[in-house]
Amino acid sequence: MRLISILICIILPLLAAAPASAQEEKSPDVKKIVMEHLSDSYWWHIGTFGEKNVTVYLPVILHSGNSGWHCFSSRHLAGGASFEGFSIAAEGKYEGKIVETLPDGSQSRPLDISVTKTTTGLLMNSAITVIVILCAAGWYRKRKATDAAPKGFTGMIEAVVGYLVDDIIRPCVGPGWRKFAPFLLTVFFFILVNNLMGLIPFFPGGINVTGNIAVTFVLAFAALLVINISGSREYWKDIFWPDVPVWLKVPVPIIPLIEFVGIFTRPFALMIRLFANMMAGHAVILCLVCVIFVTAGMGAVVNSSMTAVSVLFNIFMNCLELLVAFLQAYVFTMLTAVFIGMSQEGKEVAKTYERQ
């Protein structure tokens, strides 16, 4: 994150340094380009080939209190058009969202369960994750335990799973690790596939799914449920009646209140860490690409030198983001395993697993 912050501090002044004459020559709107990539939308723009824009228009599903259910293609709303009384707000608190124009001229937000670009990417990446795991699992169904170890793709998946179980899940969770291994492995591969697909600059990749805070919120909320629902008696005792001086618990429950807030701050930290790292990486890469076009009006020498710098930094950032994709999946899984292990502390829990 410190390196990304330094790069942002270097890039933004360069983008703002373009003279007025250069900006008048249809200089790209860097902010708009970055925000369009990071934000969600009702269609998926694949690319522009010559003068033709290739876009996948996704289904819009709405429920209005006045006119009931509506289902149509987002093509009808492209270019600021209105369809069946619905349009995409260009400004205000509903900017970028579908709103309904009422007879009195006011606008309201209908129930919106449309399939957006992020939703499409999420479904595709989830399918890829399932296919990857099932393909590896299919090898074991056709083999015996005495057969030679798998090679190639299946061998790679086995190595990753073995590493996660031996170095993260088992030591962090403790005696009852088998119960939580499926959840933790699913979290790791789900985040990893979404991170890697977001780095692919062409269809069907390029959607920054894990850079959407709604996605990381659901992951963190799932971790919150698993951690606390499976918590032992000792875990809850340490929260509401910790082993501290009584005056810190009654009459004002200072420590219990702090421990209770900690139940939510841990998953919150997981959510923000994953979201911020993936969003920042994509923003920096896009800003570096825009440097080439922003400096186009500054002359051949400046533009060629800045193009070379942009390409080199882009190669570096993409390699760094490839590392971050693995690292963020690893960190999220490891911290979730640690928090689950903390909730399993207690002699009763240990004895229960020892009997099993």
Side-chain angles (χ1 to χ4, degrees):
M1 286 300 296
R2 188 175 299 174
L3 177 60
I4 292 176
S5 301
I6 294 173
L7 288 173
I8 291 175
C9 293
I10 296 174
I11 294 168
L12 291 181
L14 290 173
L15 297 177
S21 59
Q23 293 177 356
E24 291 174 359
E25 297 177 1
K26 296 182 179 180
S27 180
D29 188 342
V30 178
K31 180 181 177 181
K32 182 180 179 181
I33 293 173
V34 174
M35 293 307 297
E36 282 183 354
H37 175 77
L38 297 179
S39 60
D40 203 359
S41 66
Y42 293 96
W43 45 76
W44 188 349
H45 180 67
I46 297 176
T48 302
F49 304 93
E51 297 182 356
K52 184 178 181 181
N53 289 321
V54 179
T55 304
V56 177
Y57 292 98
L58 303 170
V60 174
I61 306 172
L62 306 169
H63 182 267
S64 167
N66 298 319
S67 54
W69 288 97
H70 297 262
C71 184
F72 52 88
S73 171
S74 59
R75 181 189 296 272
H76 298 292
L77 302 178
S82 178
F83 183 75
E84 296 183 358
F86 299 99
S87 60
I88 298 178
E91 57 185 11
K93 63 178 180 179
Y94 298 134
E95 182 179 359
K97 302 297 182 181
I98 294 178
V99 295
E100 180 183 14
T101 303
L102 302 177
D104 59 359
S106 62
Q107 293 183 334
S108 65
R109 183 91 167 93
L111 175 62
D112 190 353
I113 55 173
S114 304
V115 179
T116 61
K117 182 176 70 172
T118 300
T119 306
T120 306
L122 184 63
L123 293 174
M124 291 176 57
N125 297 342
S126 298
I128 292 172
T129 305
V130 172
I131 292 171
V132 166
I133 299 304
L134 290 181
C135 288
W139 186 93
Y140 293 94
R141 294 195 190 98
K142 302 175 183 178
R143 303 295 193 281
K144 298 179 181 179
T146 55
D147 291 346
K151 299 179 181 180
F153 176 76
T154 304
M156 180 186 69
I157 298 297
E158 180 183 330
V160 173
V161 171
Y163 171 76
L164 292 172
V165 170
D166 293 337
D167 287 14
I168 298 179
I169 299 175
R170 184 182 294 170
C172 292
V173 175
W177 65 272
R178 291 183 183 275
K179 178 181 177 182
F180 304 98
F183 170 73
L184 294 170
L185 290 172
T186 301
V187 166
F188 175 83
F189 283 104
F190 175 79
I191 295 175
L192 179 61
V193 170
N194 278 282
N195 290 351
L196 294 177
M197 289 296 291
L199 295 177
I200 300 175
F202 49 83
F203 183 86
I207 299 179
N208 189 19
V209 175
T210 44
N212 188 307
I213 198 167
V215 176
T216 59
F217 169 79
V218 173
L219 287 169
F221 185 71
L224 174 69
L225 293 179
V226 172
I227 292 168
N228 292 284
I229 290 177
S230 63
S232 66
R233 185 180 301 176
E234 289 292 326
Y235 168 74
W236 290 107
K237 176 182 176 297
D238 288 339
I239 291 175
F240 294 107
W241 196 256
D243 189 15
V244 295
V246 177
W247 62 273
L248 291 174
K249 296 181 285 189
V250 290
V252 180
I254 300 175
I255 301 300
L257 182 60
I258 294 173
E259 292 291 339
F260 181 76
V261 172
I263 293 175
F264 304 98
T265 55
R266 295 186 188 109
F268 180 79
L270 293 175
M271 175 185 72
I272 296 299
R273 180 184 289 106
L274 179 59
F275 159 72
N277 277 279
M278 301 314 300
M279 182 188 68
H282 282 247
V284 169
I285 290 174
L286 285 171
C287 288
L288 285 169
V289 173
C290 290
V291 167
I292 299 173
F293 304 99
V294 169
T295 58
M298 297 182 182
V301 176
V302 175
N303 182 238
S304 58
S305 60
M306 291 308 300
T307 298
V309 171
S310 175
V311 171
L312 291 175
F313 268 107
N314 256 306
I315 294 173
F316 169 74
M317 280 302 302
N318 275 281
C319 292
L320 181 62
E321 281 298 294
L322 189 62
L323 174 63
V324 170
F326 284 90
L327 186 62
Q328 289 304 313
Y330 175 88
V331 170
F332 195 102
T333 306
M334 181 190 66
L335 292 178
T336 304
V338 169
F339 297 151
I340 291 175
M342 293 170 60
S343 72
Q344 301 301 300
E345 291 181 357
K347 295 182 179 179
E348 293 183 5
V349 175
K351 288 179 180 178
T352 301
Y353 289 130
E354 285 173 4
R355 295 191 198 103
Q356 295 177 353

